[in-house]
Structures are given as structure tokens and as C-alpha cells.
Amino acid sequence: MELYSVKINDIGEEMLNEICLMIDLEKRHRIEKFVSKKDKIRTLVGDILVRTVIMEHLKLRNKYIRFYENQYGKPYLEGFSDFNYNISHSGDFVVCAIDDKPIGIDIEEVKHIQYEEIVKRFFSIKEHEYIFNHKSHLDINRFYEIWTLKESYIKLCGQGLSIPLKSFSIEIDQYKNIKVVCNKECRQYKFKILNIEPGYKMAVCSLNKDISNNIISVNQDKLIFRYLRFCKE
């Protein structure tokens, strides 16, 4: 398992256009539809991060990389069933998890939103208790812990919105052990909450027994340089 993070910064229009010419047409069209430049950069950086990892680890040239989606829209790399990846981005970060089994990762920038109604509508009783039984300024952090854990689980399963948020419960005990309960049955998934930077919450869900504590920090400019170099070889 490998976990990567990229802290994004601005990319000039000329460079942005050059990089977009070296990704697949569908992803390029998706990026072009974004109004926010930051959304364009986050999506583009996530794509070239995965492609660079594939070129480095699997020795596959960029023009031969083919991504497909399952019936729920989760992407996968054609021809490499033991290469599983998941991407998430929020705020100034793009994160990616790579594993030999299905994996889910989620990152969220902590924003002071009115989350009480979200909890009421989409969270279980146990999740509600975890968030609100300790009345303090930590409530918002506990909300984002549960939210990212739930998202990482859904993303691992690869079934998107067909899994209602309230159909399963994330439970965290006093020792910070985390499990998912679905249909009154405990499923054997491994979860971990990881610290990336103050103001962010990140969670990983895995089918493997261990989740790495090591997050490989990738410099955006160096990533772009490596990607373009690989593409031109």
C-alpha cells in the first residue's frame, strides 16, 4: 500500500493546456467543463499523479494506460486487477491510495458548516452519539472523522450513491478502534484516520490488515516535470 499527497498551487494557462493534451480525451473534456481553475488543477493533478505512479511502477507507457469505469462509475486500470487506486481532493490537497486490493480514501477540508441536519438525515444513532455526546468545539472534528470514514468505505465498495449513507454505521470505541456495521453484521474492513495538515481530515478504508502511516508527499512542480518527461520518452 502506498499513500500519496500533493499540495496544489497555481498552474499557468499554457502549461495547463500542455498537460491536458497528454491525458485521455474524456478526462480532458471533464476538466474543461469546470468553471473554477482550482477544480481543474485538482482533477488534473489527481490524474497525472496516478499515471506517473503507473508509469514508474508498472513500466506502462502513458499512451497505453486505459482507464475504465464499473457500472457505478468507479475507475480502474484495464488489465491490472492487482492495481487498485482511489483519489480524493479537497481544499489545497489531492490524495491517492494505491493497493493490491480495493481501497478507499477521502479527504475533506474542515469547514464550519451547519452539520447537525446532515447528521440527523444521513448518520446512524451510534454515529450521532459519537459526535454529540461530548459537547465541545471537537464536535466539528468528530463530524468530519465520521464523514471521511463513511466516504472511504463507500469508495472502497465502488458502488457510489447506491449505498445509502444511513444503511451502515461507523463505530469508534474508547480505544479509537474503528469498525463498520451493516445490517447488524460487523464487516472486516480496516480503517484509519490520518493527519495530513491542521484543518483537514483524511480517512482510508482497506481490505488489508494494515494501513500505512506513511504519506508520500509529492511536490506538484516535480510531479509535472516527471510526468512530462515520461510522456516524451
Side-chain angles (χ1 to χ4, degrees):
M1 178 187 299
E2 290 184 335
L3 305 176
Y4 296 89
S5 73
V6 183
K7 193 166 188 178
I8 66 164
N9 50 57
D10 191 35
I11 299 175
E13 289 294 338
E14 186 176 340
M15 177 62 71
L16 195 64
N17 292 332
E18 180 182 351
I19 303 168
C20 282
L21 290 174
M22 297 183 182
I23 60 175
D24 65 72
L25 193 60
E26 183 182 348
K27 181 59 70 69
R28 192 189 314 164
H29 287 163
R30 190 183 305 176
I31 290 171
E32 288 171 351
K33 290 179 181 177
F34 286 121
V35 175
S36 166
K37 188 179 182 183
K38 198 167 187 177
D39 286 336
K40 292 181 180 183
I41 293 172
R42 280 190 293 238
T43 304
L44 182 61
V45 167
D47 191 68
I48 68 172
L49 174 60
V50 173
R51 286 175 174 272
T52 301
V53 171
I54 290 170
M55 288 187 280
E56 288 181 336
H57 286 51
L58 302 181
K59 309 303 179 185
L60 194 64
R61 296 182 68 183
N62 189 51
K63 65 180 180 179
Y64 297 125
I65 296 174
R66 295 288 183 272
F67 294 117
Y68 291 88
E69 294 182 350
N70 69 11
Q71 60 180 313
Y72 303 102
K74 183 175 183 178
Y76 63 91
L77 179 64
E78 182 191 33
F80 294 87
S81 58
D82 59 347
F83 181 90
N84 294 271
Y85 76 95
N86 196 226
I87 298 171
S88 181
H89 46 73
S90 181
D92 294 331
F93 281 95
V94 174
V95 295
C96 177
I98 308 286
D99 206 359
D100 59 354
K101 295 179 181 178
I103 191 164
I105 189 169
D106 189 59
I107 185 170
E108 299 291 341
E109 184 179 9
V110 176
K111 298 178 180 179
H112 292 280
I113 60 173
Q114 297 298 316
Y115 57 89
E116 292 83 355
E117 187 61 28
I118 297 174
V119 175
K120 183 179 178 181
R121 290 182 60 191
F122 300 112
F123 286 21
S124 70
I125 293 173
K126 286 283 188 180
E127 291 166 342
H128 185 281
E129 289 175 353
Y130 175 76
I131 294 168
F132 294 114
N133 275 9
H134 305 273
K135 284 293 183 182
S136 72
H137 66 284
L138 296 177
D139 285 357
I140 187 71
N141 291 318
R142 287 170 172 255
F143 164 76
Y144 276 105
E145 284 178 4
I146 296 295
W147 183 263
T148 54
L149 288 165
K150 287 174 86 71
E151 285 291 328
S152 69
Y153 169 73
I154 287 175
K155 293 176 76 177
L156 178 148
C157 294
Q159 297 176 31
L161 296 176
S162 68
I163 303 178
L165 285 170
K166 212 164 186 176
S167 67
F168 64 95
S169 179
I170 299 293
E171 299 184 6
I172 306 175
D173 67 20
Q174 60 181 323
Y175 305 107
K176 297 298 181 181
N177 297 312
I178 307 168
K179 68 179 180 181
V180 59
V181 178
C182 184
N183 297 325
K184 298 182 180 180
E185 197 175 311
C186 293
R187 305 292 180 89
Q188 296 304 309
Y189 295 93
K190 184 73 174 180
F191 290 93
K192 183 169 283 189
I193 298 170
L194 293 161
N195 295 316
I196 188 167
E197 186 174 282
Y200 289 85
K201 288 293 180 182
M202 187 171 85
V204 176
C205 178
S206 172
L207 291 174
N208 281 318
K209 292 182 179 179
D210 296 306
I211 295 176
S212 174
N213 285 313
N214 181 44
I215 304 172
I216 302 169
S217 180
V218 180
N219 176 273
Q220 178 181 289
D221 293 337
K222 290 182 179 179
L223 171 65
I224 291 172
F225 176 81
R226 282 158 57 199
Y227 179 71
L228 294 177
R229 187 192 68 197
F230 277 128
C231 290
K232 293 173 182 177
E233 286 181 350

